[in-house]
Amino acid sequence: TLDILVIDEAAYVPDEVYNRVTPMLAATNGQLILISTPFGTANFFYKEFQSERFQKWTQTSEDAPHISKDYLAREKERMTSLQYRQEYLGEFVEEGDTLFPRELIERQMLDFDWEYDSAARLYLGVDVARFGEDDSTIAFMEKKGHALRIIRCDVIKGKTRITELAAEIMRLAVQYPTIARIIIDEAGVGGGLVDILYEKFGSHKIIGVNNAQRGFEIKGRRKKIIKEDMYMNLLKLLEDNRLTIINDVEILRSLSSIKLSYSDSGSLLIFGANTHIAEAIIRSIFPLMLSGGRGKLWIEGIEEHKIEDNYFI
């Protein structure tokens, strides 16, 4: 039996643990104290926070006198608004929330007639249709000076052979000789496309991204780059007004369809029903990001660090 049960970081404790220990309070009518930063809504901490049987107190980091305002300003600049709201403002982020708010996408969308500019560099992100799916997508990201913009997304309708998709990318490379990088998910069917293009262009132009394997070291620690990191990278670019997107209803629909949730283990999940354009876009900007005029990779939870030169813009 227990007289007092205190659970710190309660949002991260599995529901099974909570269900097994709370009956120990029954015989004593003991006190239960839950302390945590929110972590989604699919956990007992969120449910108990909504319950009338608890007294509740919320303290934001912005109201805490011992937390530096300068530190919070740096964190607000580094994080997405979603992450900052959860970690420092103590807000519950609803599961199934749209990752890219429609007003944010529309704010960053511009009407323009794109013409090829040999003074700009281009980056192609390729989403290869999975088995049984029809549409592959090629997203074009243009960099001119410090300006980044998504200038078009080509959706290739109908089932396409890997060799046909490779031929289309080769044609684009001839048509636009300033294409600097072509980024492809090499897991699954994309691996064959990477192999073909490696033969043609070599590793200096082709980046094969395998979220299960690719990583880099920061002070001796290896960090895997996962899909969720890539989406957060895009969100950060949009929020910071570093990336603009051509006004295209299909791009709007794809980005608006991206949702976020949490797994039973507490891991962030990003998903959607219309992702092929969004997946191509996140690859077109991977691992390229401008920060103070230098190419850097932004990864969730890790400050910006230089990585290998061949990934620089």
Side-chain angles (χ1 to χ4, degrees):
T1 58
L2 297 175
D3 294 297
I4 300 176
L5 173 60
V6 182
I7 304 180
D8 194 18
E9 298 290 2
Y12 299 86
V13 174
D15 286 12
E16 292 81 0
V17 174
Y18 185 66
N19 292 335
R20 286 176 179 267
V21 298
T22 48
M24 299 177 188
L25 295 166
T28 62
N29 194 28
Q31 185 178 19
L32 173 60
I33 300 173
L34 307 178
I35 309 167
S36 190
T37 301
F39 192 61
T41 59
N43 50 66
F44 73 85
F45 180 68
Y46 171 77
K47 293 168 186 169
E48 298 290 39
F49 195 85
Q50 312 308 312
S51 170
E52 294 297 326
R53 69 190 187 97
F54 282 87
Q55 291 180 288
K56 286 157 274 190
W57 293 268
T58 299
Q59 177 79 17
T60 74
S61 296
E62 291 182 350
D63 295 329
H66 61 284
I67 298 180
S68 160
K69 300 299 183 186
D70 289 340
Y71 176 81
L72 289 176
R74 291 194 300 270
E75 287 292 270
K76 196 169 188 177
E77 181 179 356
R78 179 181 70 82
M79 289 178 154
T80 67
S81 63
L82 181 151
Q83 292 167 319
Y84 186 84
R85 282 165 45 209
Q86 179 170 273
E87 296 300 323
Y88 290 107
L89 300 183
E91 295 182 13
F92 289 97
V93 178
E94 293 283 347
E95 287 203 26
D97 272 1
T98 299
L99 180 62
F100 304 103
R102 186 183 180 105
E103 59 270 21
L104 173 63
I105 304 170
E106 292 179 337
R107 186 194 77 185
Q108 296 305 111
M109 281 189 156
L110 299 175
D111 290 306
F112 56 84
D113 295 321
W114 180 72
E115 294 183 358
Y116 176 62
D117 184 348
S118 60
R121 303 185 77 182
L122 294 175
Y123 299 81
L124 304 189
V126 183
D127 182 58
V128 184
R130 302 299 186 263
F131 292 111
E133 298 179 2
D134 291 339
D135 298 341
S136 294
T137 304
I138 303 172
F140 293 65
M141 191 272 286
E142 179 190 67
K143 176 187 178 290
K144 186 174 183 181
H146 293 332
L148 298 174
R149 60 179 185 169
I150 302 298
I151 48 96
R152 69 190 243 202
C153 287
D154 293 354
V155 178
I156 302 168
K157 298 286 187 180
K159 294 182 180 180
T160 306
R161 296 178 183 272
I162 291 297
T163 51
E164 294 172 332
L165 186 56
E168 173 62 13
I169 293 172
M170 292 177 190
R171 184 191 68 78
L172 291 170
V174 172
Q175 184 177 3
Y176 306 117
T178 57
I179 291 175
R181 300 286 189 273
I182 302 169
I183 304 97
I184 306 163
D185 182 2
E186 64 183 353
V189 293
L193 180 61
V194 170
D195 291 342
I196 294 172
L197 295 177
Y198 267 149
E199 290 278 333
K200 176 69 175 178
F201 299 111
S203 59
H204 69 286
K205 182 170 285 192
I206 306 301
I207 299 177
V209 178
N210 187 328
N211 295 336
Q213 297 177 5
R214 180 174 291 280
F216 62 95
E217 290 189 1
I218 296 177
K219 296 180 181 178
R221 294 183 294 112
R222 189 165 183 82
K223 166 72 178 179
K224 286 184 179 178
I225 298 168
I226 60 175
K227 179 180 73 172
E228 286 71 23
D229 293 320
M230 297 167 72
Y231 271 107
M232 288 298 183
N233 191 22
L234 174 59
L235 179 59
K236 183 64 175 171
L237 284 171
L238 293 173
E239 288 183 343
D240 290 352
N241 199 23
R242 291 176 171 180
L243 178 73
T244 56
I245 302 173
I246 189 169
N247 192 355
D248 183 297
V249 67
E250 294 303 323
I251 296 176
L252 176 63
R253 286 173 179 165
S254 184
L255 292 178
S256 298
S257 77
I258 305 302
K259 308 289 184 182
L260 73 154
S261 182
Y262 292 92
S263 69
D264 292 339
S265 63
S267 298
L268 177 66
L269 301 175
I270 293 178
F271 59 95
N274 180 24
T275 63
H276 57 285
I277 292 177
E279 293 277 325
I281 289 174
I282 64 172
R283 293 188 187 108
S284 73
I285 63 170
F286 170 83
L288 311 172
M289 181 174 178
L290 289 180
S291 178
R294 293 169 294 170
K296 289 188 178 182
L297 169 64
W298 186 87
I299 289 293
E300 177 184 358
I302 296 180
E303 292 184 3
E304 293 176 349
H305 292 266
K306 273 190 176 183
I307 55 175
E308 294 85 350
D309 286 342
N310 62 321
Y311 290 111
F312 280 3
I313 288 180

